[in-house]
């Protein structure tokens, strides 16, 4: 098939991101031609400030060098600005006469800096701050001249001023408004910012309007004069007063433009063959200047260029982070507040910390952070998700990390960390290697960083730190992932919730059916979606769905926990942690018979046999004659108990017995993630029930039920759900809560993650307030578990042993003898217990 | 010894699964993917030596059960950005039986 022709006018970040996304989706659909006005490949414009400050070089900030275009078969015309679009003949013409035909045209012309229309604005030494050329000119000026004036106290102006100061110039920032960065900061935060920039040696002239720029003897600019008559010496004037979408080309071609080229939600202009992305665009009346929304546009545009047609851009909420080394500043949304909003402020001027959150109807609508921006992405996430923060209100200002995560010494401020600080304790990744990877590989997302460095890719406890490092390295380009609409995995754009709903409503009853219905991108899916789909199907159709072992992680397939050397651990169920001498003898005999190298008493009050070879597992299970403890699965784990009123002189309730009954009722239950319970017989809480998914604490008058605790990576104290009188009620409430979690959480959510997302109010509404709903949930749980079989018993039984699935446990051996075909494989059937 | 050795009938390897073949030279993982293609690799992940045979198979790849490194079944190479390679064995299916070369 003949390829379509795609031409792109503009060679900047938004346009190139579109092409990269397009090449991922449809690598062979188009012959691509790119016109760029600058004599470079595509570079990271956001990082011009570190280049100016002498912290990075141009080479460091190249995203796509010239070779990249060649490798991807893209024709690149550098130094050629497109000056005309002939929409009738469908071709573009560049300033030097170069022409290119198109089937689809992508406008990514970006924006132009605004130059103040004052006398002298065309003098030598008066420049904007936009591209490599401007940056080079500033660096050049810094080595010859002394006085620099930056007009504009916004983000860009301050970055330019900081860079010039670091290059040794005497710098004054001129600003029309009474405080700096008035579009991102309130007066207090701006004051703190000004103080710390002054401490770095910058000078400020606020509320000053420029009247003219005055030439010196050489003809170069030498001074700036204000409306009030005052003058300042100026050998270099940088105008950073704003940008204006570059719509010249589009307007000349007759495309509808307002502040920018007007596009719809699929990034098409009024000519449907012509798309536009980036700073040149006006979408629903907004022209974006920060890179994160532009990347969202790029993704949508690529989806449509690739002819997938299933994605819409609906606008972005933006956040800002200032890239001036040593200053942490974050702002998002409506940070000034208005009618109907309220503010929470934490102010510690001498400690250099100021935080303000603006709330409306129990939701965050904006905020400013100064000095401590560690929680910026968390607040921003809450803002974007529109999450109700009523329950968080008490500790909202102290951030997400006020309860310690394990594994990085409690440090939470990425900017202060030295390069050799170990950020990821699981994979031994230091800050320096993360920063290096981000710069060298041009990474923008947390997932990219995980893939390339492995940082935060295992337990995830350092995710917040890694996000901060990413944010401080790439600045405004970083946007936390939007978890409110989280695609199941890279194989699909549909969310967990959409997929679960369709499984039920459309009666999808197998993995291939579900993948087919949602037009999965990858054949057989991936290691993220297959286990998730398997669980969702199992949960929706407990009796009809045929479990797919090949879509389960090895632990759940082998019903044992794989260890680092490839052996397994065996942990039989010991209900409520209560065992007998006979049981202990049997476990001891099995351990001796199979020379089990390690026997451990676990934190969940059971006994673990470590180092069992896979082929011995069925024999070990047969000899134990005990049920599987499910210690390996996304499933019910244990119910930990204290000795309770039967023995303990303080005990007020029979916690042991309730624990046993609960563990029996929940036995063999699969779940989105592991589920741990505990029952304590009095408020001394020896069973540590308040850090469990469901924790029960006995009091004299009954039982208190707590939910959504966690004792792992991040310690989370559970929240009070209800107080009930009888053990039967405990069963009903606990069972209903767990069933709600099973039906509504995303795969791999622990209860705490799910409850944080849906809110405790919601959980109480479903479990406490709605008695009929609670009973129905509990019934569904009991029904789902009614015919679940013990997996060990099943595997040990004789009929199963003759099935193909049994081969899982039997290696084919050619170890000890000359191999010859035929008879050898007979040996496979040996070695299984009778 | 240069010859094809029959290891087992294809149907005894689960689809999207594998079997372990123990040899004097270490374990070999024989995989069968969703399209009934068969591949054989040394049963050792290039990352930390995990048993690839126990991983989840999808398309022409397998994910190591220990730390999730993805390995291409047809080349033994780790998928980018990971690096490393595990030994690949020649394998074929003839009349429903799986053969390995030079075990």
């Amino acid at each position: 098939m003949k390829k379509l022709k795609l031409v792109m006018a503009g060679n900047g970040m938004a346009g190139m991101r579109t092409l990269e996304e397009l090449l991922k989706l449809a690598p062979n659909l188009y012959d691509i031609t790119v016109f760029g006005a600058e004599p470079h490949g595509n570079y990271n414009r956001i990082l011009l400030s570190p280049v100016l400050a002498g912290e990075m070089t141009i080479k460091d900030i190249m995203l796509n060098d010239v070779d990249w275009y060649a490798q991807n078969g893209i024709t690149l015309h550098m130094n050629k600005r497109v000056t005309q679009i002939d929409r009738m003949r469908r071709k573009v013409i560049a300033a030097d006469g170069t022409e290119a035909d198109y089937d689809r045209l992508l406008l990514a012309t970006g924006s132009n800096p605004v130059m103040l229309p004052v006398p002298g604005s065309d003098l030598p030494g008066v420049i904007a701050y936009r591209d490599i050329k401007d940056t080079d000119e500033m660096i050049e000026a810094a080595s010859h001249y002394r006085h620099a004036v930056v007009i504009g106290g916004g983000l860009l102006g301050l970055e330019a001023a900081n860079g010039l100061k670091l290059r040794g110039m005497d710098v004054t920032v001129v600003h029309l408004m009474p405080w700096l960065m008035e579009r991102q900061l309130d007066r207090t935060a701006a004051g703190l910012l000004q103080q710390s920039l002054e401490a770095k040696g910058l000078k400020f002239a606020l509320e000053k309007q420029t009247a003219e720029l005055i030439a010196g003897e050489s003809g170069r600019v030498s001074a700036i004069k204000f409306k009030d008559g005052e003058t300042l010496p100026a050998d270099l004037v940088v105008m950073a007063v704003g940008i204006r979408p570059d719509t010249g080309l589009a307007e000349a071609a007759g495309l509808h433009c307002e502040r920018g080229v007007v596009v719809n939600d699929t990034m098409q202009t009024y000519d449907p063959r012509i798309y536009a992305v980036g700073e040149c665009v006006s979408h629903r009346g907004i022209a974006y200047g920060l890179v994160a929304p532009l990347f969202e546009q790029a993704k949508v545009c690529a989806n449509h260029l690739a002819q997938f047609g299933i994605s819409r851009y609906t606008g972005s909420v933006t956040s800002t982070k200032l890239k001036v080394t040593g200053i942490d500043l974050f702002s998002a949304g409506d940070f000034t507040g208005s009618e109907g909003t309220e503010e929470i402020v934490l102010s510690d001027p001498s400690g250099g910390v100021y935080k303000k959150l603006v709330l409306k109807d129990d939701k965050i609508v904006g905020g400013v952070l100064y000095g401590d921006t560690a929680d910026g992405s968390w607040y921003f996430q809450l803002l974007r998700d529109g999450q109700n923060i009523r329950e968080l209100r008490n500790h909202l200002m102290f951030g997400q990390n006020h309860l310690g995560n394990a594994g990085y010494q409690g440090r939470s401020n990425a900017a202060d960390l030295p390069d050799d600080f170990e950020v990821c304790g699981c994979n031994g990744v230091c800050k320096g290697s993360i920063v290096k990877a981000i710069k060298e590989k041009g990474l923008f997302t947390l997932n990219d960083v995980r893939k390339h460095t492995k940082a935060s890719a295992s337990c995830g406890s350092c995710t917040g730190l890694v996000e901060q490092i990413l944010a401080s390295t790439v600045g405004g380009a970083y946007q936390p992932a939007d978890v409110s609409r989280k695609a199941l995995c890279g194989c699909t754009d549909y969310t967990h919730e959409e997929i679960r709903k369709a499984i039920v409503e459309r009666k999808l009853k197998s993995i291939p059916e579900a993948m087919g219905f949602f037009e999965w991108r990858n054949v057989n899916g991936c290691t993220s979606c297959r286990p998730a789909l398997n669980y969702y199907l199992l949960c929706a159709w407990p009796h009809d769905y045929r479990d797919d072992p090949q879509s389960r992680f090895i632990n759940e397939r082998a019903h044992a926990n794989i260890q680092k050397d490839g052996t397994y651990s065996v942990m039989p169920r010991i209900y409520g942690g209560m065992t007998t001498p006979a049981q202990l003898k049997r476990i001891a005999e099995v351990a001796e018979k199979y020379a089990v190298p390690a026997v451990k008493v676990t934190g969940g009050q059971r006994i673990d046999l470590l180092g069992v070879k896979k082929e011995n597992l069925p024999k070990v299970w047969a000899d134990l004659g005990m049920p599987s403890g499910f210690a390996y699965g996304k499933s019910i784990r244990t119910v930990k108990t204290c000795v309770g009123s039967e023995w303990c002189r303080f005990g007020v309730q029979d916690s042991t017995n309730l624990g046993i009954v609960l563990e029996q009722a929940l036995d063999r239950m699969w779940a989105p993630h592991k589920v741990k319970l505990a029952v304590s017989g009095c408020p001394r809480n020896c069973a540590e029930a308040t850090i469990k998914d469901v924790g029960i604490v006995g009091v004299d008058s009954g039982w208190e039920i707590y939910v959504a605790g966690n004792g792992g990576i991040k310690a989370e104290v559970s929240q009070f759900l209800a107080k009930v009188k009888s053990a039967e009620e405990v069963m009903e409430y606990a069972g209903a809560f767990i069933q709600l979690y099973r039906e509504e959480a995303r795969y791999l959510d622990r209860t705490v993650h799910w409850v944080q997302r849906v809110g405790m109010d919601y959980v109480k509404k479903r479990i406490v307030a709605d008695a009929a709903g609670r009973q129905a949930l509990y019934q569904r749980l009991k029904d789902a578990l009614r015919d679940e079989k013990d997996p060990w018993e099943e595997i040990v039984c004789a009929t199963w042993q003759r099935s193909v699935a049994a081969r899982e446990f039997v290696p084919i051996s050619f170890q000890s003898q000359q191999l010859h075909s035929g008879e050898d494989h007979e040996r496979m059937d040996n070695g299984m217990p009778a | 010894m240069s010859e094809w050795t029959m290891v087992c009938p294809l149907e005894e390897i689960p689809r999207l699964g594998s079997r372990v073949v123990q040899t004097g030279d270490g374990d070999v993982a024989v995989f069968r993917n969703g399209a009934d293609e068969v591949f054989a690799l040394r049963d050792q992940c290039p990352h930390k030596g995990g048993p690839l045979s126990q991983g989840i198979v999808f398309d022409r790849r397998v994910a190591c059960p220990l730390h999730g490194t993805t390995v291409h079944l047809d080349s033994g190479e780790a998928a980018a950005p990971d690096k490393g390679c595990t030994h690949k064995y020649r394998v074929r299916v003839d009349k429903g039986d799986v053969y390995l070369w030079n075990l």
Side-chain angles (χ1 to χ4, degrees):
Chain A
M1 199 179 78
K2 202 164 167 292
K3 285 190 187 180
L4 295 166
K5 293 192 187 70
L6 174 66
V7 172
M8 184 162 87
N11 185 25
M13 294 173 73
M16 287 311 298
R17 175 52 75 103
T18 312
L19 294 192
E20 284 180 341
E21 298 274 353
L22 174 63
L23 290 173
K24 270 192 255 166
L25 296 174
N28 299 313
L29 192 58
Y30 292 101
D31 275 326
I32 303 174
T33 306
V34 176
F35 286 86
E38 289 186 64
H40 308 282
N42 173 36
Y43 59 92
N44 188 342
R45 206 178 287 282
I46 299 154
L47 294 181
L48 284 173
S49 293
V51 171
L52 178 63
E55 292 159 0
M56 294 172 91
T57 65
I58 296 292
K59 206 165 151 273
D60 291 333
I61 68 167
M62 289 309 292
L63 292 172
N64 306 89
D65 56 19
V66 176
D67 292 342
W68 183 90
Y69 294 81
Q71 281 157 16
N72 286 280
I74 296 174
T75 311
L76 173 63
H77 295 297
M78 286 189 293
N79 243 333
K80 292 183 188 179
R81 180 185 293 275
V82 174
T83 50
Q84 194 190 335
I85 306 169
D86 184 339
R87 285 166 58 198
M88 294 291 287
R89 294 188 178 76
R90 297 216 302 268
K91 63 180 179 183
V92 298
I93 304 158
D96 70 337
T98 310
E99 295 188 359
D101 295 329
Y102 68 81
D103 296 297
R104 296 283 181 278
L105 174 62
L106 177 56
L107 295 179
T109 49
S111 62
N112 292 320
V114 173
M115 299 301 277
L116 290 179
V118 293
S121 64
D122 52 353
L123 289 173
V126 180
I127 59 169
Y129 181 25
R130 174 71 190 163
D131 53 24
I132 291 183
K133 190 174 132 284
D134 298 330
T135 311
D136 284 343
E137 210 172 322
M138 282 195 259
I139 295 171
E140 173 70 16
S143 60
H144 291 97
Y145 301 101
R146 182 180 158 83
H147 297 290
V149 166
V150 176
I151 305 178
L155 192 63
L156 199 63
L158 295 179
E159 288 182 6
N162 182 59
L164 291 169
K165 179 71 207 171
L166 287 172
R167 296 238 174 218
M169 293 191 86
D170 176 73
V171 187
T172 305
V173 176
V174 175
H175 196 46
L176 188 61
M177 306 303 285
W179 70 85
L180 299 172
M181 291 183 68
E182 76 284 350
R183 284 168 63 186
Q184 286 88 19
L185 299 182
D186 65 359
R187 190 160 203 156
T188 315
L192 286 166
L193 172 66
Q194 187 175 336
Q195 270 173 26
S196 56
L197 290 172
E198 278 168 352
K200 285 169 173 271
L202 291 177
K203 296 175 195 160
F204 293 91
L206 300 181
E207 294 182 88
K208 290 282 190 189
Q209 195 172 356
T210 308
E212 76 172 294
L213 302 170
I214 300 162
E217 281 169 19
S218 63
R220 186 183 173 93
V221 67
S222 71
I224 178 170
K225 187 174 178 188
F226 301 115
K227 282 263 162 76
D228 60 10
E230 201 183 322
T231 62
L232 284 175
D235 309 313
L236 173 72
V237 174
V238 180
M239 294 220 192
V241 291
I243 54 170
R244 188 175 288 144
D246 184 349
T247 56
L249 179 64
E251 275 179 281
L255 293 172
H256 179 52
C257 296
E258 284 166 5
R259 252 194 80 200
V261 185
V262 174
V263 294
N264 61 13
D265 287 359
T266 57
M267 305 315 291
Q268 275 166 310
T269 66
Y270 273 60
D271 180 340
R273 287 180 182 276
I274 304 181
Y275 290 74
V277 292
E279 288 182 338
C280 65
V281 154
S282 169
H283 172 266
R284 299 192 183 182
I286 300 175
Y288 293 94
L290 295 167
V291 78
L294 308 187
F295 281 0
E296 290 176 34
Q297 294 177 354
K299 198 164 182 187
V300 172
C301 186
N303 186 291
H304 289 275
L305 284 172
Q307 301 178 349
F308 280 52
I310 47 168
S311 162
R312 284 172 69 215
Y313 178 70
T314 54
S316 306
V317 184
T318 56
S319 67
T320 308
K321 208 165 152 67
L322 187 65
K323 297 179 297 298
V324 177
T325 309
I327 295 179
D328 279 322
L329 195 57
F330 177 94
S331 90
D334 169 14
F335 55 85
T336 49
S338 53
E339 182 88 14
T341 63
E342 47 181 337
E343 290 173 6
I344 308 182
V345 178
L346 185 153
S347 177
D348 175 9
S350 45
V353 174
Y354 172 77
K355 297 177 170 190
K356 177 167 95 174
L357 292 178
V358 180
L359 310 177
K360 188 172 186 181
D361 303 332
D362 286 331
K363 286 173 186 165
I364 298 179
V365 293
V368 177
L369 307 179
Y370 183 89
D372 174 8
T373 57
D375 289 298
S377 27
W378 183 53
Y379 293 135
F380 189 52
Q381 191 74 60
L382 293 171
L383 186 157
R384 294 216 316 186
D385 293 355
Q387 195 171 319
N388 188 311
I389 49 85
R390 192 148 65 88
E391 299 149 26
L392 300 172
R393 197 171 170 126
N394 288 342
H395 55 259
L396 193 62
M397 291 315 280
F398 307 105
Q400 191 178 24
N401 296 320
H402 73 287
L403 283 173
N405 276 358
Y408 56 85
Q409 306 159 41
R411 298 283 288 269
S412 63
N413 198 344
D416 296 346
L417 302 176
D419 276 353
D420 60 357
F421 180 82
E422 187 181 73
V423 173
C424 175
C426 292
N427 295 311
V429 191
C430 295
K431 181 189 170 190
S433 6
I434 299 174
V435 172
K436 188 159 168 265
I438 293 170
K439 288 179 179 171
E440 282 178 2
K441 317 268 183 198
L443 310 180
F444 285 106
T445 68
L446 184 62
N447 262 341
D448 287 343
V449 175
R450 283 184 177 153
K451 270 191 212 149
H452 281 89
T453 67
K454 304 273 179 263
S456 84
S458 294
C459 85
S461 75
C462 61
T463 302
L465 263 193
V466 175
E467 281 188 307
Q468 277 185 61
I469 293 169
L470 186 59
S472 61
T473 310
V474 304
Y478 175 67
Q479 182 112 7
D482 184 356
V483 297
S484 63
R485 219 206 110 77
K486 191 179 173 196
L488 180 63
C489 68
C491 301
T492 179
D493 289 328
Y494 292 97
T495 63
H496 290 259
E497 289 74 17
E498 286 164 340
I499 289 164
R500 294 201 80 163
K501 192 158 170 263
I503 284 173
V504 175
E505 287 177 0
R506 304 278 169 160
K507 306 219 167 2
L508 307 175
K509 295 200 177 179
S510 72
I511 291 176
E513 261 182 72
M515 287 182 177
F517 182 78
F518 284 107
E519 298 177 327
W520 234 244
R521 278 199 276 279
N522 303 319
V523 61
N524 315 135
C526 69
T527 50
S528 298
C529 58
R530 286 241 304 278
L533 286 177
N534 191 57
Y535 169 72
Y536 291 157
L537 288 157
L538 193 77
C539 180
W541 311 110
H543 313 297
D544 303 352
Y545 176 62
R546 240 179 86 180
D547 198 293
D548 176 20
Q550 303 308 330
S551 292
R552 282 188 181 271
F553 184 65
I554 180 61
N555 289 357
E556 296 184 355
R557 204 175 341 129
H559 295 285
N561 228 322
I562 195 165
Q563 306 296 318
K564 61 189 266 189
D565 62 352
T567 65
Y568 290 80
S569 83
V570 170
M571 206 188 293
R573 194 168 285 297
I574 297 179
Y575 294 97
M578 293 296 283
T579 182
T580 61
Q583 218 171 36
L584 291 173
K585 268 189 208 154
R586 204 159 350 121
I587 293 172
E589 276 160 13
V590 169
E592 279 186 342
K593 178 172 171 188
Y594 294 94
V596 170
V599 181
K600 185 178 184 315
V601 174
T602 72
Q605 302 185 333
R606 345 196 242 187
I607 294 171
D608 195 2
L609 307 176
L610 290 138
V612 179
K613 286 206 179 90
K614 191 177 183 191
E615 56 261 45
N616 284 337
L617 286 172
K619 288 181 276 188
V620 169
W621 297 335
D623 289 353
L624 277 173
M626 291 167 74
S628 163
F630 279 76
Y632 44 78
K634 313 298 175 209
S635 59
I636 176 71
R637 293 291 178 88
T638 63
V639 182
K640 187 174 175 173
T641 63
C642 68
V643 290
S645 57
E646 278 288 288
W647 296 93
C648 177
R649 65 200 166 98
F650 298 116
V652 293
Q653 294 286 354
D654 187 355
S655 50
T656 327
N657 189 50
L658 178 58
I660 292 170
V661 176
L662 267 171
E663 191 163 342
Q664 283 167 343
L666 299 173
D667 206 355
R668 303 159 193 176
M669 179 189 79
W670 297 108
H673 208 308
K674 55 188 174 186
V675 176
K676 297 179 174 182
L677 288 78
V679 187
S680 287
C682 82
R684 285 170 193 75
N685 191 14
C686 294
E688 296 159 350
T690 42
I691 51 164
K692 301 294 180 200
D693 295 286
V694 177
I696 319 289
V697 177
V699 291
D700 196 54
S701 55
W703 302 92
E704 291 174 354
I705 304 172
Y706 294 85
V707 294
N710 196 317
I713 290 162
K714 185 167 159 59
E716 292 280 356
V717 174
S718 55
Q719 304 185 54
F720 177 75
L721 178 74
K723 188 186 160 195
V724 297
K725 288 211 169 62
S726 67
E728 290 70 35
E729 285 171 288
V730 171
M731 303 291 291
E732 186 177 301
Y733 278 72
F737 171 78
I738 290 170
Q739 181 65 10
L740 190 65
Y741 163 67
R742 277 166 39 92
E743 288 178 4
E744 298 190 359
R746 295 172 190 160
Y747 191 67
L748 297 188
D749 270 347
R750 287 292 297 269
T751 53
V752 59
H753 306 127
W754 166 66
V755 170
Q756 269 170 6
R757 206 171 50 246
V758 300
M760 196 61 197
D761 277 352
Y762 171 77
V763 174
K764 283 184 179 163
K765 200 175 87 199
R766 296 286 304 267
I767 306 298
V768 183
D770 177 4
R774 175 179 69 239
Q775 281 151 14
L777 278 165
Y778 184 45
Q779 276 308 318
R780 284 208 290 283
L781 177 70
K782 286 204 285 192
D783 176 69
L785 298 179
R786 81 178 134 85
D787 54 7
E788 281 287 345
K789 299 198 174 51
D790 181 72
W792 291 359
E793 197 183 341
E794 233 182 345
I795 291 170
V796 167
C797 88
T799 41
W800 193 88
Q801 298 258 324
R802 285 188 288 274
S803 72
V804 175
R807 313 280 183 225
E808 169 91 43
F809 294 93
V810 196
I812 303 165
S813 183
F814 290 102
Q815 225 155 8
S816 51
Q817 62 184 94
Q818 284 291 331
L819 21 104
H820 258 287
S821 52
E823 60 270 19
D824 288 275
H825 88 272
E826 299 286 327
R827 303 172 61 232
M828 284 184 307
D829 289 329
N830 302 337
M832 298 293 289
Chain B
M1 190 168 51
S2 298
E3 60 177 2
W4 288 101
T5 306
M6 200 281 231
V7 288
C8 71
L10 178 65
E11 67 194 33
E12 293 197 353
I13 307 175
R15 196 169 277 154
L16 293 176
S18 75
R19 291 294 299 276
V20 178
V21 178
Q22 298 175 330
T23 76
D25 198 25
D27 286 358
V28 177
V30 183
F31 299 93
R32 173 184 181 187
N33 75 0
D36 283 347
E37 295 174 305
V38 174
F39 308 89
L41 299 177
R42 175 177 293 281
D43 197 10
Q44 251 177 24
C45 177
H47 176 223
K48 290 202 172 167
L52 292 171
S53 57
Q54 311 298 301
I56 290 181
V57 178
F58 55 106
D59 199 5
R60 287 185 164 183
R61 282 169 287 172
V62 63
C64 177
L66 292 197
H67 307 96
T69 301
T70 298
V71 174
H72 288 285
L73 293 173
D74 46 4
S75 65
E77 306 253 6
D82 287 323
K83 292 193 173 69
C85 188
T86 191
H87 186 72
K88 182 183 95 177
Y89 293 84
R90 287 177 68 189
V91 64
R92 73 183 169 96
V93 181
D94 187 29
K95 298 194 186 84
D97 287 326
V98 178
Y99 293 82
L100 277 174
W101 177 255
N102 259 359
L103 263 187

